[in-house]
Amino acid sequence: MKIIMLGAPGAGKGTQAEIISQKLGVPTISTGNILRAAVKAGTPVGLKAKAFMDAGKLVPDDVIIGILAEALQAPECAEGYILDGVPRTIPQAEAMEEQGVEIDVALELDVPDETIVRRMSGRRVCPVCGATYHIENHPPRTEGVCDKCGHELVVRADDAPETVLDRLSTYHKQTEPLIAFYRERGKLRTVSDQPTIEGNTVEIMKALGI
């Protein structure tokens, strides 16, 4: 099964992608990872991407999708894959179609904005060991202190409420139109947010018919 994860930042796409990956035995493909790998390997599209990155420019959609199409030729992708973080825009989705990247299901995790702001602004991270917590769902034993190394926990800049609202605004403008794009193609499956990670997984499996 070839799946795209759709949903706002903080909707739980990465968490659910890993769970689905394990259940289906197919890899999760992250744009950032394959871009770095292609640049390191010096593939033709990797070298093209590196030229843009070295010049301090954004890597164009056709180059990113070229790297994606190349990565999906790997033997481990033969039985399917899960795409997390791509496409982000309609032009990227169209470029994927043009380059023959196949998709069976676009899986949307539908989470209200206010839930995402609460969820992300409640995250706390240890700057020393990298452990993550949440003040509601996974609090440390001692408030503000890492269980593992005892260092003071911090709020990442990305998780500050004003930053989250900016990211949500960008999502609604650039990425949300993909929902209609895949609905028109009969590939959209929508899962409404559940109170727990496990609850979301159950609903996703139903949506995928598994």
Side-chain angles (χ1 to χ4, degrees):
M1 190 176 283
K2 297 160 185 173
I3 302 168
I4 289 173
M5 303 296 292
L6 294 178
K13 299 186 297 298
T15 299
Q16 294 297 335
E18 286 307 314
I19 294 170
I20 300 166
S21 170
Q22 290 174 9
K23 285 185 179 289
L24 297 184
V26 298
T28 299
I29 307 295
S30 150
T31 328
N33 289 347
I34 60 171
L35 184 58
R36 284 188 290 273
V39 169
K40 187 177 178 182
T43 67
V45 280
L47 292 172
K48 197 181 288 187
K50 186 175 186 299
F52 285 101
M53 292 159 73
D54 288 348
K57 297 178 181 177
L58 287 175
V59 181
D61 286 346
D62 63 326
V63 177
I64 287 177
I65 303 307
I67 288 172
L68 175 65
E70 191 175 73
L72 296 181
Q73 298 303 311
E76 60 266 27
C77 296
E79 298 299 317
Y81 41 79
I82 301 163
L83 301 184
D84 183 15
V86 64
R88 290 186 184 276
T89 62
I90 297 283
Q92 284 187 358
E94 290 172 342
M96 284 170 58
E97 290 186 342
E98 287 165 11
Q99 297 202 32
V101 176
E102 296 179 5
I103 294 303
D104 297 319
V105 174
L107 183 66
E108 179 203 3
L109 304 186
D110 184 17
V111 184
D113 282 7
E114 57 270 22
T115 301
I116 285 180
V117 172
R118 188 174 70 249
R119 186 180 288 172
M120 294 180 76
S121 59
R123 285 203 292 214
R124 300 291 183 269
V125 180
C126 177
V128 175
C129 72
T132 59
Y133 303 87
H134 193 281
I135 57 175
E136 293 178 12
N137 304 331
H138 178 46
R141 287 190 293 270
T142 303
E143 186 178 346
V145 178
C146 179
D147 292 347
K148 294 182 179 177
C149 71
H151 200 276
E152 184 179 355
L153 300 175
V154 299
V155 178
R156 293 189 319 166
D158 274 1
D159 293 336
E162 58 274 18
T163 308
V164 174
L165 289 171
D166 282 346
R167 292 174 67 194
L168 284 170
S169 174
T170 301
Y171 165 77
H172 290 309
K173 287 176 192 168
Q174 294 184 359
T175 307
E176 196 170 45
L178 288 168
I179 292 167
F181 179 90
Y182 285 111
R183 183 184 289 119
E184 288 168 6
R185 284 153 176 74
K187 296 184 176 182
L188 185 71
R189 305 284 184 277
T190 299
V191 172
S192 297
D193 190 44
Q194 304 298 310
T196 64
I197 290 172
E198 294 78 12
N200 276 318
T201 302
V202 168
E203 293 304 310
I204 285 169
M205 292 302 145
K206 287 181 190 173
L208 295 176
I210 297 169

